[in-house]
Amino acid sequence: MEPLLRVSDVSKRFKVRGGHVSAVDDVSFYVQAGDTVGIVGESGSGKSTLARLVLRLIEPDTGEVVFDGKNVAEARGAGLKELRRGMQMVFQDPYSSVNPRMPIGGNIGFPMKVQGFGKREIRDRTADLLDQVGLHPNHASYYPHQLSGGQLQRVNIARALTMEPKLVVCDEPLSALDKSIQAQVLNLLRDLRERLGLTYLFISHDLNVVEYFSDHVLVVYLGHVVESCPAKDLYREPLHPYTKVLLSAIPSVDPDTRTEAQALGGEPPSPLDPPSGCRFRTRCPLAMDICAREKPALREAATGHSVACHLFEERV
Ligand code: SF4
């Protein structure tokens, strides 16, 4: 079955003072309709750039993004409008994602207004969306400063749903919220997925959240996908040394299985001058000579489980 989203060999470099930064380097993955794919990595790993490439908020240098059978880069006019309806985004910061001078109803209704919906249709649909995200229709008359961070993130989710998108890209949607609110918003996203048959690309630095919410996980480091597998396999049998370090930092609830957290060794490399070969080698406790010479390719080491590490090449 053709996936809803296919990203093939996508790379993006940015010009900065002193050279270029390779934010995303040769990344490929796909998302089947109805699935959630989680992308996890530290800040600066290229996760958000990847999200913007998918939504065509920025253009890739190489590679292609195909959404719903259409090449995103080739969409023009009405085709581009249709594509934008089909893919929506929930941003990290609920406060800066809304217009503070516009009531909540206006913020949610704005995309419908742009698409030419009538006043009554906008009002009815806004009331329905507020209800779907657990707010009261009366909230339409409130201003953003009268709502809490959690309520505002619900408003952002409602706005992302106005055009009945097939794909919702969530870029760190919980990280600006209090811990107690994070679980509520995560449960809302999960309920909406079940009720509306949504497909998510879910970006987070939090492995726990990604594992709970995703069907499949990509682990990224300095613009490279270093591991790609079903979410349940990531905890059961992580392969890449970077994934193992990330997982060791999460305390187990069971004291008998709790292990010592491993610290990432070495300084994070400069993206302006990334290490040769494997980009993780300057911080990897298992680095070998070959790791400085050759970039490890992402290869399948077990069914559906791929890793980019020379340690696993004999298993391929
Ligand atoms: Fe470590 Fe080498 Fe594997 Fe990179 S390729 S993760 S440096 S063992």
Side-chain angles (χ1 to χ4, degrees), residues 8-24:
S8 306
D9 310 319
V10 162
S11 297
K12 180 70 185 176
R13 278 156 59 95
F14 293 108
K15 201 170 178 189
V16 294
R17 192 183 298 189
H20 286 86
V21 169
S22 170
V24 170

Side-chain angles (χ1 to χ4, degrees), residues 102-118 121-123 125-126 129 155 158-159 162-163:
M102 208 183 247
I104 296 304
N107 270 289
I108 294 175
F110 187 70
M112 292 185 270
K113 200 172 168 186
V114 171
Q115 295 278 344
F117 285 46
E121 204 176 352
I122 292 175
R123 196 186 57 224
R125 178 128 179 83
T126 298
L129 284 165
V155 168
R159 191 175 51 182
T162 50
M163 292 296 126

Side-chain angles (χ1 to χ4, degrees), residues 240-241 278 280-281 284 286-288 291 296 308-311:
H240 198 279
C278 173
F280 186 58
R281 73 174 167 82
C284 179
L286 304 171
M288 308 169 284
C291 305
C309 174
H310 292 302
L311 288 170

Side-chain angles (χ1 to χ4, degrees), residues 10-16 19-26 44-46 49 61 221-224 270-274 279 295:
V10 162
S11 297
K12 180 70 185 176
R13 278 156 59 95
F14 293 108
K15 201 170 178 189
V16 294
H20 286 86
V21 169
S22 170
V24 170
D25 188 10
D26 204 18
S45 58
T49 303
D61 298 330
Y221 184 80
L222 275 186
H224 282 166
S270 162
L272 268 172
D273 184 22
R279 288 190 173 184
K295 175 182 158 185

Side-chain angles (χ1 to χ4, degrees), residues 9-240:
D9 310 319
V10 162
S11 297
K12 180 70 185 176
R13 278 156 59 95
F14 293 108
K15 201 170 178 189
V16 294
R17 192 183 298 189
H20 286 86
V21 169
S22 170
V24 170
D25 188 10
D26 204 18
V27 168
S28 300
F29 66 94
Y30 63 88
V31 186
Q32 292 288 5
D35 279 0
T36 296
V37 170
I39 300 183
V40 72
E42 295 168 294
S43 130
S45 58
K47 312 183 295 289
S48 295
T49 303
L50 202 48
R52 282 157 178 76
L53 287 164
V54 165
L55 291 157
R56 204 181 154 191
L57 299 177
I58 51 175
E59 304 283 345
D61 298 330
T62 57
E64 69 174 20
V65 177
V66 175
F67 173 70
D68 209 11
K70 296 176 195 77
N71 188 329
V72 168
E74 290 168 1
R76 302 275 181 279
L80 183 58
K81 210 170 169 184
E82 184 63 33
L83 192 125
R84 296 232 186 274
R85 288 176 66 138
M87 290 196 277
Q88 295 290 323
M89 188 158 182
V90 177
F91 293 92
Q92 175 176 357
D93 182 358
Y95 296 95
S96 60
S97 306
V98 290
N99 182 340
R101 285 187 290 275
M102 208 183 247
I104 296 304
N107 270 289
I108 294 175
F110 187 70
M112 292 185 270
K113 200 172 168 186
V114 171
Q115 295 278 344
F117 285 46
K119 270 188 183 167
R120 190 190 185 129
E121 204 176 352
I122 292 175
R123 196 186 57 224
D124 291 350
R125 178 128 179 83
T126 298
D128 179 49
L129 284 165
L130 283 167
D131 183 53
Q132 288 208 43
V133 298
L135 294 172
H136 194 278
N138 286 350
H139 280 113
S141 60
Y142 285 42
Y143 278 81
H145 72 271
Q146 295 175 289
L147 269 58
S148 67
Q151 287 174 318
L152 268 187
Q153 198 57 310
R154 288 173 188 265
V155 168
N156 282 313
I157 293 166
R159 191 175 51 182
L161 298 178
T162 50
M163 292 296 126
E164 301 182 339
K166 292 182 179 171
L167 176 72
V168 179
V169 178
C170 302
D171 186 8
E172 298 271 11
L174 311 176
S175 57
L177 307 177
D178 290 346
K179 278 273 175 233
S180 57
I181 307 296
Q182 287 184 3
Q184 294 173 18
V185 173
L186 193 61
N187 284 334
L188 170 66
L189 289 169
R190 201 183 53 176
D191 288 350
L192 290 169
R193 178 176 60 188
E194 309 309 322
R195 271 193 277 140
L196 306 176
L198 293 173
T199 305
Y200 288 120
L201 189 59
F202 190 87
I203 292 166
S204 177
H205 65 280
D206 187 333
L207 257 179
N208 251 344
V209 169
V210 167
E211 194 263 346
Y212 166 77
F213 195 61
S214 309
D215 299 295
H216 195 92
V217 179
L218 305 173
V219 181
V220 292
Y221 184 80
L222 275 186
H224 282 166
V225 175
V226 297
E227 188 155 2
S228 165
C229 63
K232 60 181 170 24
D233 290 353
L234 197 76
Y235 268 66
R236 208 171 47 199
E237 198 190 4
L239 298 180
H240 198 279

